[in-house]
Amino acid sequence: MDYEIPTDRRYAESHEWVLATDEEGVLRVGITDFAQDELGDIVFAELPREGETFDRGDQFAVVESIKAVSDIYLPVSGTIEAVNDAVTDRPELINEDPHGDGWLVEISTDEDVEDVDSLLTAAEYEDQI
Amino acid sequence: MNQTHPTRETDLSFDESDAAQAESGSPFTPHDAEDVTEMLAAIGADDVEELFDVPEPVRYDGSFGIEGRSERAVRRRLDRTLDANADVVEFLGRGHYSHYVPSVVDSLSLRSEFITSYTQYQPEVSQGFLQVLFEFQSLVTELTGMDVANCSMYDAATALGEAATLADRVRAADGSTILVPDYLRAERRAVLENYADGPGLEIREFPTANGMVDPDALESALGEDVLLVYVENPTTDGVIEEHLDEIGSILEDRETLFCLGSDLLALSLLQNPADVGADVVVGNAGVLGLPNVYGMGIGLFACREEFLRQVPGRLVGASEDADGDRTYTLTLQTREQHIRRERATSNICSNQAWVALRTAIHAAYLGPEGLTALADRCTRLPARLAAELDAIPGVSAPANDAYHFREFTAEIDGDAEAVVSELADRGFAVHRRGDDAIQVCVTETNEEHAAELLETVREVMA
Amino acid sequence: MQRHRQAKWDETESDGHEPLLAEKDLTRHEPSDTYLPDDLTRDGVELPSISEPELVRHYTRLSQMNYGIDSGPYPLGSCTMKYNPKFTEDIAGQPAAAVHPDRDPELAQGTLQVYHELQDYLSRIGGMSAVTLQPPAGAAGELTGILVAKAYHEHNDEGDQREEILVPASAHGTNFASAAMAGYDIVELPADDDGRVDLDALSEAVGDSTAALMLTNPNTLGLFERDIEEIATIVHDAGGLLYYDGANLNALLGRARPGDMGFDVMHFNVHKTFATPHGGGGPGAGPIGVREGLEKFLPSPQVRVDGDEYTLVEPAESIGKVHGSMGNWLVLLKTHAYISRLGDEGLVDTSAKAVLNANYLAERIDLEVPFGPFHHEFVASAGETDAADFAKAMLDNGVHPPTTKWPEIVDEALMTEPTEAESKRSLERLAAAFNAVSEADDDAIAAAPRMTAAKRIDQTTAARDPKLSWQQLSD
C-alpha cells in the first residue's frame, strides 16, 4: 500500500504531521494519509478551542469513524491559533485530503520543529509505517 | 362391555402438589439421547461433564434445592402468590401513574418478532424495531420540543442522574453543583446521588413555595458553581409549575443547564419545554404503554442539538441502503460503552426498548387529539376531587393553591398515618405525606371509584 | 442449507420504505376549552392521527421486518439469546401483578414474596449471601456492585487510597464504563497466550490502590479462568474485591458458583441466563449478589421476611438507590417463573446443553477457532474476510450472525454462542450458514445481504449527518 508522505513536513510516531506556515512561529497540524486510511470513513472530528494551550504529547483532538475513536496528540507544545472549521462540518475532508484541506489546527509555538528529536522526516516516517 | 375399563387404583390418586408433572432436565433443551451421543462423538468426548474445564475445588453439584414444576403448576403457584396483593383501589401516583392501556398495545408489542429480538446490531434484518424506535424518538422530540431524543433510559430517576453527568461534561462552570427543588422525591434524589458520586458532583436543594418554584429563592440559590437546575412540571405533588418562563429567563445567560422533568402525557398539554428555555428534558414515558407495574417504567431523555455527542444511550438514525431506499440504523455509537469504554457518555447498554414500543403504540392509538383530551381530563379530575374532599370537615384540599395534574395533596386534621391505614382497611390506597397530609391521584382508571373514596374519607374523618 | 427471504413492505411513493406514521397522516391539534389558562398550556402538538386498524397494520408490518429468536438461531456471543418461554408473559400480564410501587408493604405481600423468593433463588445459584433485585439492567448491576465495593473500602477508611479497578482487555465495554462512572481509574490487564488472565500481569498490577478486579468467567473467549482461586488470593491479599460479571453464567449453572470461586460481588443478566425476552434492547434486569459481610451496603430497600410477613428494610450502610423504585418488576417476575419451572435439574441441564451445543458447533464449522476448551461460546476467525462483511452474508441464510470484531484478541472475530435451546438439526443449519460464507467469493460477500428488508446500510452517512427523528428528515 502506497501512502502519500509529503517531504515538506515532519511526522510524529503517533501519525500526526506538522508543517511550517508563512507566519513565523505558527505550525499547521494534521493526521497522515496512513492514519486516515487506518481509521476508515471519518464521521466526526472534535477539535480544541482557539486559545487553548497544550504541552508536547498532549491529546488535543478526537477523530471518530463509525466503530473507532482515536485520540490525536500534539507533536509540539503550543497555543491553538486557528481551528479548521471545514473539517468540523465535513469530516470526510480528512479522508479526502489529509495533508491539505483536511488539516486540523494551527498552533503558535516557541519550539523549533527541526530541534524536536521525536519528530521524524518523511523518510523516517515511511520506514516506521 | 363394562369390563373394558378396569379400574386401577394408582391411576385414580390426585396429585395436588405444585411439583406435579415436572420433567427431568430442562423443557427448553431440544436434544434427545441419540442427539447427545452423536454430538459427543463428533466432539470426541465421552460425556458432557468432560466438557467443563472447571477445577475440582470450585465445582458445584447442582443442588440448589429449587424444585422444578410443570408450567401449569408454576402458573398456579404464582397466581396464588400474587393474589396476596391486597385488592384495593389505588389512588396512588407521585411519579408512577396508571392510564388505560388499550388492547392493541399488548397485542402488537407481544408479537414475537419484536419481543424476542435483541438490540439492532444487524440493522438490515432489524428494520422493523429500528423504525419503531425512530418513531419513538420523533414522538419524544415533538412533545419535548427538544432537537434530539434517545431511545430510552431505565426510568425517570436514572434519566435525571444521566442529565446531571451530561451537565458535568458539557458545562465549563467552575463548580459541580446540581440544584434540585425541595419537593424532589427522596427516591429520585437517592438515585441522583449515586450518579453524582463518581464525577464528584454535589446535590443542593433550593426552597420552593406553594409547591412550585419561587423565582427569587431560585435566583439567590444560584451561583457560579451550579451546573444544572432541575424543575418538575407537573411535580410529583401534582402541582403545575407557573414560573417556567421566569426560570428560563433566570438561567438563560448562565453556564447552567435548565433540566425539566415531566411525562409524555403531561407534555402534550403543558407548556412546551423548548418554549421556556429548557436544555434537557427527562421524565417518565411509561405513563403511556404500561400500567403501574411496581415502578418499572421507561425514562425519557431529550436535549438540545449542541449536546448531541454527549447524549447517553442509544440513538437510531435514518440512512440509505445499497438500493437507495430509506433505512434506519443505530448511529453515533462511538459515544457508547462498547466502543468508547471508560470514556463513554454512560455505561447503559440494555435499555427499555420494548417499553418504548408500547409507549409509541399507545401514543399513536390516542393521537394528538386523544392525548390532549386525556391530559386535559387529568387537570379537571383532581380539581373536582379536591373540591369535594375540601367539603369534608377536617380536610383541606388542595394543600397548594395551584392547578394540578392527576394528583394533589390534602391537609387533614388528625393523624395521617391512622387515616391512611383506615382507608386501606376499607379498600383504598392513598399516599401519606408526613403527619398531617395525604396525597390522592385520580385518572380515568380510578375515577369511577371517586365517589366511594369520598364517602369513605367522610366516614373515616367523622 | 436454510434460506430466508425477509418481508419488506414499502411504497414507491415514499423512497422505498414502509411510511412512518407521520408520513401517513400528520395532524396538528391545538387544544381549545382547556381547563388550564392559556399561559400554562402549549400551542399544540403535531403527531400522527391514525385509526386503530391502520395502526395495527403498521406495527404488524414492522414486526414482519424484524428478526427474533422465534424466527431462527441468534448466536450473538455473550448475549445468550435463548428461547423465551411463553407462559412467563401470561404470568406477567395478569392484573394482580400490576400494583403501584408506593403501596404499603402490607398491601403488596404477593409482589414482595416473589421478590423475596427470587432473592433467595439467586443467592443459591450464585453462592452469595444476599441479593438485590433493584438494578434495572446488567450495566446498572455493575455500577451497583462497584458502588458496593466503594462503600466497603470507605467503611474501612481506604476509600481515597483505592482508586483503581482492574479490567481484563477482553472484558465487556460496560465494565470499563461502569467503573469509570463510579469514579474509578481503569487499569487494563492483558491476556496471556492461552487467552486467560495473565497472573504475572495481575500480580504486577494489584496493590494498595486496587479497589477491585472485574472478571467474566468463562471469559468472552468461552474459556474458564482455571486459575480463579489464585486470582482471588492475589486480589484479596492486596485488599481488593473480586467482581463477577454474570454475562456468561449460563455456562456454569449448577456446575460452579461465583461465591465458591471467591467472588465478593456479582451481577446476574436475567435476560441472558434466565430467558426473559430482550425486547429489542431491553428491559433487562441486573440483580447483584454479595458475599457475607457486604449485605449492609446493598441498595435500599431489601425485602425480608419476618414470620410470614414480607417487609422492606434499609440495609445499615446502604449505598442508597440505583432505580427510582425496585427495578424492572415484570422482568423479575418472569425470571422467578423461569427458575421455578426449571428447578435444579433444569438449571443443570441448561448449562450441559449450552456447552454441548457450543462445542458441537465449533466442531462443525470450517473456520479457525483458536483457544479452548470452550464452554457456552467460542470465537471463530473470519480469516481474510472482514468479520462485519462475513456477518452480512450470513443473514441471507436464515440465521442471525454472531457478534463481530470482538474480542479483539482474535482477528476478525466471530463470537458465537448458540445456547442450549438450539437442536442438533438447527446447529447443523447454522454451521452450514457459516461454511457457505467461508466458501463464498468476495463479490458475493460484498453484495450481501440480498434477501433482508434492507440491503447493506450506509452507516457513514447516518453518522456524518444524523437524522434522528421525522422532524429532522425534512431539514
Side-chain angles (χ1 to χ4, degrees):
Chain A
M1 191 77 188
D2 281 340
Y3 297 104
E4 194 185 316
I5 308 176
T7 53
D8 59 351
R9 62 197 76 194
R10 292 298 182 98
Y11 297 87
E13 284 182 9
S14 50
H15 310 293
E16 295 86 7
W17 53 259
V18 286
L19 173 68
T21 64
D22 294 343
E23 201 173 333
E24 178 76 25
V26 174
L27 301 174
R28 185 171 276 196
V29 182
I31 67 168
T32 65
D33 189 28
F34 172 82
Q36 71 78 21
D37 187 66
E38 286 284 298
L39 282 164
D41 288 342
I42 291 166
V43 298
F44 181 63
E46 185 183 336
L47 302 181
R49 277 180 272 225
E50 282 175 26
E52 283 190 73
T53 61
F54 296 92
D55 286 334
R56 188 194 302 171
D58 280 357
Q59 178 215 325
F60 75 101
V62 177
V63 171
E64 296 183 4
S65 62
I66 298 292
K67 295 274 163 79
V69 180
S70 290
D71 294 337
I72 311 299
Y73 302 95
L74 208 55
V76 291
S77 309
T79 301
I80 305 295
E81 285 293 314
V83 171
N84 189 2
D85 292 330
V87 157
T88 314
D89 294 340
R90 291 189 58 233
E92 55 269 38
L93 280 176
I94 302 172
N95 293 120
E96 291 164 3
D97 191 9
H99 296 110
D101 290 346
W103 62 277
L104 301 180
V105 296
E106 289 180 350
I107 56 166
S108 60
T109 179
D110 299 335
E111 295 193 75
D112 185 339
V113 172
E114 304 295 325
D115 294 341
V116 180
D117 291 339
S118 60
L119 287 175
L120 310 174
T121 63
E124 288 166 336
Y125 181 66
E126 187 171 12
D127 286 345
Q128 186 202 304
I129 61 176
Chain B
M1 290 292 286
N2 57 5
Q3 290 302 309
T4 58
H5 297 96
T7 302
R8 283 179 296 163
E9 212 165 299
T10 50
D11 288 343
L12 287 179
S13 64
F14 295 102
D15 186 349
E16 294 183 346
S17 77
D18 276 340
Q21 299 158 38
E23 296 86 352
S24 63
S26 166
F28 312 119
T29 50
H31 317 64
D32 61 26
E34 194 182 333
D35 292 337
V36 173
T37 307
E38 288 173 14
M39 291 167 79
L40 285 170
I43 296 164
D46 293 329
D47 192 284
V48 174
E49 301 304 318
E50 257 177 54
L51 302 174
F52 288 88
D53 182 30
V54 178
E56 193 55 42
V58 297
R59 285 232 178 193
Y60 186 69
D61 71 357
S63 50
F64 301 121
I66 302 170
E67 186 182 26
R69 294 177 162 90
S70 70
E71 176 177 313
R72 181 164 171 276
V74 174
R75 286 189 62 173
R76 270 177 6 115
R77 184 168 181 284
L78 279 171
D79 285 356
R80 281 202 305 256
T81 304
L82 290 172
D83 275 347
N85 285 335
D87 185 16
V88 291
V89 181
E90 294 176 340
F91 284 85
L92 300 170
R94 294 193 50 69
H96 305 283
Y97 305 108
S98 177
H99 291 286
Y100 174 70
V101 180
S103 294
V104 289
V105 172
D106 267 347
S107 170
L108 295 170
S109 69
L110 288 170
R111 285 187 65 89
S112 79
E113 298 91 333
F114 282 139
I115 193 167
T116 75
S117 64
Y118 201 72
T119 305
Q120 299 74 27
Y121 291 135
Q122 294 293 342
E124 291 84 358
V125 80
S126 312
Q127 285 299 295
F129 218 121
L130 285 162
Q131 183 166 338
V132 168
L133 295 172
F134 184 84
E135 296 197 63
F136 174 81
Q137 288 174 183
S138 304
L139 169 74
V140 176
T141 298
E142 171 63 19
L143 290 175
T144 59
M146 295 288 104
D147 304 308
V148 292
N150 75 9
C151 60
S152 75
M153 315 274 23
Y154 307 128
D155 71 345
T158 55
L160 172 58
E162 295 279 10
T165 64
L166 175 123
D168 185 42
R169 293 192 297 274
V170 303
R171 279 298 181 243
D174 287 340
S176 52
T177 300
I178 305 297
L179 210 52
V180 300
D182 56 8
Y183 57 65
L184 182 63
R185 266 196 78 139
E187 290 83 355
R188 288 183 180 176
R189 168 142 184 178
V191 173
L192 175 61
E193 299 270 3
N194 272 330
Y195 276 77
D197 185 68
L201 308 178
E202 186 199 346
I203 317 297
R204 215 170 66 210
E205 219 169 69
F206 66 94
T208 60
N210 197 30
M212 62 187 88
V213 172
D214 171 355
D216 293 337
L218 172 62
E219 200 154 14
S220 55
L222 279 169
E224 289 304 307
D225 62 329
V226 177
L227 293 172
L228 177 141
V229 170
Y230 177 66
V231 171
E232 292 179 348
N233 186 38
T235 71
T236 47
D237 294 343
V239 171
I240 293 173
E241 176 59 63
E242 294 178 14
H243 305 290
L244 290 175
D245 291 303
E246 284 166 271
I247 298 164
S249 305
I250 291 168
L251 298 176
E252 196 175 4
D253 298 322
R254 291 175 181 264
E255 279 283 299
T256 301
L257 294 193
F258 177 8
C259 177
L260 191 65
S262 189
D263 69 71
L264 278 190
L265 180 62
L267 284 168
S268 72
L269 178 69
L270 305 186
Q271 283 176 280
N272 184 341
D275 292 347
V276 299
D279 299 298
V280 185
V281 181
V282 297
N284 181 8
V287 296
L288 300 175
L290 277 181
N292 269 319
V293 279
Y294 219 56
M296 171 172 162
I298 170 174
L300 70 88
F301 192 101
C303 65
R304 295 190 181 280
E305 179 90 38
E306 61 185 294
F307 311 135
L308 174 61
R309 300 280 166 172
Q310 290 298 334
V311 168
R314 297 195 182 115
L315 292 168
V316 175
S319 187
E320 284 187 356
D321 71 2
D323 287 346
D325 290 352
R326 190 204 295 161
T327 53
Y328 307 93
T329 179
L330 293 174
T331 193
L332 304 178
Q333 292 184 71
T334 49
R335 299 165 299 107
E336 296 183 64
Q337 47 75 29
H338 61 285
I339 294 177
R340 221 183 195 96
R341 307 212 296 188
E342 66 269 26
R343 285 157 64 195
T345 55
S346 169
N347 69 339
I348 191 168
C349 185
S350 286
N351 53 26
Q352 304 288 107
W354 181 69
V355 188
L357 164 66
R358 294 178 62 96
T359 300
I361 297 169
H362 193 170
Y365 173 87
L366 289 171
E369 210 166 330
L371 272 171
T372 313
L374 180 57
D376 181 56
R377 189 163 189 74
C378 289
T379 62
R380 294 172 193 269
L381 286 172
R384 185 171 151 205
L385 184 58
E388 297 195 33
L389 273 172
D390 194 54
I392 297 172
V395 182
S396 172
N400 292 303
D401 179 20
Y403 291 101
H404 289 84
F405 202 88
R406 299 192 191 97
E407 57 190 330
F408 56 90
T409 51
E411 287 165 359
I412 53 173
D413 292 340
D415 181 357
E417 186 176 5
V419 170
V420 169
S421 170
E422 186 68 22
L423 285 172
D425 289 345
R426 296 172 187 228
F428 297 95
V430 302
H431 297 277
R432 174 188 160 202
R433 301 299 312 281
D435 293 335
D436 51 12
I438 60 173
Q439 187 168 335
V440 181
C441 179
V442 57
T443 71
E444 80 282 7
T445 60
N446 61 2
E447 65 166 307
E448 71 266 32
H449 298 287
E452 301 155 45
L453 174 73
L454 284 165
E455 188 49 41
T456 310
V457 171
R458 194 170 286 119
E459 287 166 20
V460 169
M461 294 305 295
Chain C
M1 177 146 76
Q2 182 170 268
R3 315 256 288 169
H4 174 223
R5 292 159 195 79
Q6 192 176 37
K8 180 184 183 186
W9 292 92
D10 63 26
E11 290 182 5
T12 50
E13 292 82 358
S14 59
D15 312 334
H17 64 277
E18 169 69 9
L20 297 160
L21 285 176
E23 291 169 319
K24 292 178 178 173
D25 183 347
L26 191 59
T27 301
R28 183 167 176 83
H29 177 68
E30 294 177 8
S32 55
D33 298 326
T34 56
Y35 181 73
L36 296 179
D38 285 351
D39 61 345
L40 295 183
T41 60
R42 62 192 293 158
D43 296 337
V45 288
E46 193 168 31
L47 290 170
S49 182
I50 296 288
S51 69
E52 183 171 332
E54 292 171 290
L55 177 75
V56 168
R57 198 160 281 166
H58 179 75
Y59 283 99
T60 301
R61 288 176 175 189
L62 293 185
S63 76
Q64 290 169 343
M65 294 192 277
N66 214 63
Y67 185 96
I69 185 69
D70 286 358
S71 315
Y74 218 126
L76 283 168
S78 274
C79 298
T80 319
M81 285 295 282
K82 59 165 83 171
Y83 172 69
N84 309 139
K86 304 306 164 195
F87 78 103
T88 63
E89 292 303 333
D90 286 331
I91 290 169
Q94 62 171 306
V99 297
H100 192 284
D102 290 349
R103 274 188 178 210
D104 186 285
E106 277 182 33
L107 305 180
Q109 287 292 298
T111 293
L112 295 182
Q113 184 179 341
V114 172
Y115 269 88
H116 191 264
E117 288 177 358
L118 184 55
Q119 286 174 191
D120 177 50
Y121 288 170
L122 294 179
S123 297
R124 295 182 199 203
I125 291 168
M128 291 282 153
S129 172
V131 162
T132 174
L133 306 177
Q134 193 174 116
E142 292 176 17
L143 177 62
T144 309
I146 295 302
L147 289 171
V148 164
K150 192 174 188 179
Y152 165 80
H153 292 306
E154 281 167 2
H155 174 89
N156 294 337
D157 292 326
E158 293 188 341
D160 292 339
Q161 161 199 334
R162 299 194 177 270
E163 54 193 14
E164 291 174 356
I165 301 254
L166 313 184
V167 186
S170 65
H172 303 107
T174 48
N175 287 184
F176 300 88
S178 300
M181 266 178 95
Y184 283 103
D185 297 332
I186 313 298
V187 178
E188 191 173 319
L189 293 178
D192 66 9
D193 291 341
D194 67 0
R196 297 178 178 80
V197 171
D198 183 328
L199 291 183
D200 292 336
L202 174 63
S203 300
E204 188 90 350
V206 295
D208 293 346
S209 54
T210 304
L213 164 66
M214 299 180 83
L215 203 58
T216 308
N217 194 15
N219 66 23
T220 54
L221 293 167
L223 312 175
F224 192 86
E225 296 284 355
R226 295 182 194 125
D227 300 321
I228 185 59
E229 289 181 292
E230 198 171 343
I231 291 169
T233 303
I234 292 169
V235 173
H236 289 151
D237 285 353
L241 296 182
L242 197 55
Y243 181 95
Y244 182 85
D245 178 328
N248 294 345
L249 184 63
N250 207 49
L252 296 184
L253 282 173
R255 314 279 166 176
R257 306 192 301 173
D260 301 335
M261 296 179 219
F263 286 94
D264 303 289
V265 187
M266 70 173 293
H267 80 262
F268 299 84
N269 290 88
V270 307
H271 68 262
K272 299 180 182 179
T273 313
F274 303 116
T276 63
H278 197 243
I288 72 162
V290 295
R291 66 146 164 88
E292 196 174 354
L294 297 175
E295 304 95 328
K296 62 186 173 196
F297 304 115
L298 285 176
S300 178
Q302 278 290 96
V303 181
R304 301 267 167 81
V305 66
D306 186 6
D308 56 2
E309 189 187 351
Y310 296 92
T311 59
L312 295 176
V313 176
E314 175 165 5
E317 294 176 53
S318 173
I319 59 160
K321 290 188 71 67
V322 293
H323 182 265
S325 299
M326 287 180 51
N328 281 329
W329 154 241
L330 292 183
V331 179
L332 297 166
L333 178 57
K334 292 178 206 177
T335 307
H336 184 295
Y338 178 77
I339 294 174
S340 323
R341 176 87 175 89
L342 260 54
D344 290 3
E345 286 186 42
L347 292 166
V348 170
D349 189 43
T350 295
S351 55
K353 300 297 166 37
V355 172
L356 177 66
N357 278 2
N359 279 279
Y360 184 64
L361 183 61
E363 196 62 41
R364 298 282 304 215
I365 65 174
D366 303 334
L367 294 168
E368 189 204 347
V369 187
F371 304 110
F374 305 111
H375 290 84
H376 65 301
E377 68 186 357
F378 59 84
V379 182
S381 173
E384 296 298 303
T385 308
D386 186 295
D389 291 338
F390 193 101
K392 298 300 178 203
M394 285 182 74
L395 288 170
D396 288 333
N397 297 338
V399 301
H400 195 283
T403 302
T404 59
K405 298 210 170 236
W406 186 79
E408 287 159 358
I409 190 167
V410 175
D411 286 338
E412 301 303 336
L414 298 167
M415 187 197 202
T416 311
E417 181 183 9
T419 83
E420 72 279 9
E422 297 304 324
S423 66
K424 175 169 174 284
R425 188 173 188 281
S426 168
L427 293 170
E428 285 158 5
R429 298 294 171 281
L430 182 54
F434 273 95
N435 295 340
V437 177
S438 73
E439 286 161 17
D441 63 55
D442 291 350
D443 291 344
I445 290 174
R450 291 168 297 123
M451 296 198 284
T452 45
K455 304 297 190 298
R456 193 77 70 95
I457 292 175
D458 176 1
Q459 301 281 349
T460 304
T461 304
R464 279 182 182 157
D465 183 19
K467 303 279 190 198
L468 306 175
S469 59
W470 72 54
Q471 295 87 343
Q472 289 183 336
L473 281 177
S474 48
D475 282 356

